[in-house]
Amino acid sequence: MGAYTLAYIVLLAMAFYVASASDPSPLQDFCVAVNDTNDTVFVNGKFCRDPKLATPNDFFFSGLRLPGNTSNKLGSMVTPANVAQIPGLNTLGVSLARVDYAPYGLNPPHIHPRATEILTVLEGTLYVGFVTSNPENRLISKVLYKGDVFVFPQGLIHFQLNVGTTNAVAIASLGSQNPGVITIANAVFGSKPAISADVLTKAFQVEKNVVNYLQSQFWTDNHTY
């Protein structure tokens, strides 16, 4: 009986392993396969330094102590603290960002393709929300005050608007060393080269002159890099 029980446990464990196995999550937009190993090689993430050569500065970043410049059309600025700023974050799966908002400033609708976000309000009052996937496209939103926390699930369109008359500040915690960001308006109407007007007029059910107008605008990027 003991042998049968052991065999059952082993088979169950193997079945679970097969069912749960998957490719590692990508840490960049794409990674094109190459057959020639003499070609330039990139890894999923960053190459690792010899741990013996690590220094305190590899795990340090002072950029969040200063407010971001919100003097732009959106009235907001995002200052990231990810693996690009903190090399020691490589493989650790977390990052931060500071978001500054002028009065009525907006962090416009965007997605993080590789991370869930937890936003904590440090100062001010924010109207925030995200939209669920098709077919419901349900808006889930709330007004946040100092000390409040809100979660934006990975890959869903979300936004924050300062509804107060004073500056606001928030800290975003993200579940990836390189969460990525796609600002919806910039991607759709500011792509290079431009998406065909035939595509956008049909997708948005508007006249071509409306699409031409939107594509002619300067789409503000409110992120520092």
Side-chain angles (χ1 to χ4, degrees):
M1 180 67 73
Y4 285 115
T5 302
L6 179 59
Y8 175 76
I9 293 173
V10 170
L11 288 172
L12 184 63
M14 291 178 64
F16 175 79
Y17 173 79
V18 171
S20 62
S22 64
D23 290 332
S25 298
L27 296 174
Q28 61 273 321
D29 286 345
F30 51 79
C31 183
V32 179
V34 294
N35 294 319
D36 185 354
T37 55
N38 292 321
D39 287 345
T40 301
V41 176
F42 289 86
V43 295
N44 189 25
K46 302 279 188 179
F47 287 105
C48 298
R49 176 183 296 167
D50 184 339
K52 296 177 182 178
L53 301 178
T55 71
N57 282 339
D58 291 328
F59 304 90
F60 171 79
F61 178 60
S62 63
L64 300 190
R65 68 173 67 162
L66 299 174
N69 183 2
T70 59
S71 299
N72 55 58
K73 289 183 177 180
L74 295 171
S76 69
M77 183 56 66
V78 179
T79 305
N82 57 43
V83 71
Q85 291 79 33
I86 309 174
L89 283 178
N90 192 35
T91 76
L92 298 185
V94 294
S95 61
L96 289 174
R98 171 178 174 147
V99 191
D100 289 275
Y101 313 81
Y104 308 110
L106 172 69
N107 191 11
H110 62 281
I111 67 170
H112 299 295
R114 294 181 287 275
T116 290
E117 174 183 343
I118 302 178
L119 187 82
T120 304
V121 180
L122 301 184
E123 296 290 343
T125 305
L126 299 178
Y127 168 61
V128 307
F130 65 86
V131 179
T132 63
S133 56
N134 297 353
E136 289 85 5
N137 299 132
R138 185 161 63 100
L139 173 64
I140 297 178
S141 63
K142 193 169 183 64
V143 175
L144 305 182
Y145 302 93
K146 182 177 180 179
D148 287 346
V149 173
F150 198 82
V151 175
F152 303 110
Q154 180 175 340
L156 296 187
I157 295 174
H158 59 283
F159 61 87
Q160 303 109 38
L161 174 67
N162 182 3
V163 293
T165 58
T166 60
N167 292 337
V169 184
I171 291 290
S173 305
L174 300 124
S176 172
Q177 69 181 48
N178 183 25
V181 61
I182 301 172
T183 305
I184 306 304
N186 300 42
V188 173
F189 297 108
S191 68
K192 299 178 181 62
I195 298 173
S196 168
D198 293 333
V199 173
L200 297 181
T201 53
K202 187 173 287 291
F204 288 93
Q205 298 294 291
V206 296
E207 298 297 327
K208 189 174 182 179
N209 64 311
V210 176
V211 170
N212 291 338
Y213 170 76
L214 290 171
Q215 289 183 322
S216 69
Q217 301 305 298
F218 176 77
W219 293 98
T220 301
D221 184 357
N222 67 330
H223 287 70
T224 60
Y225 297 98

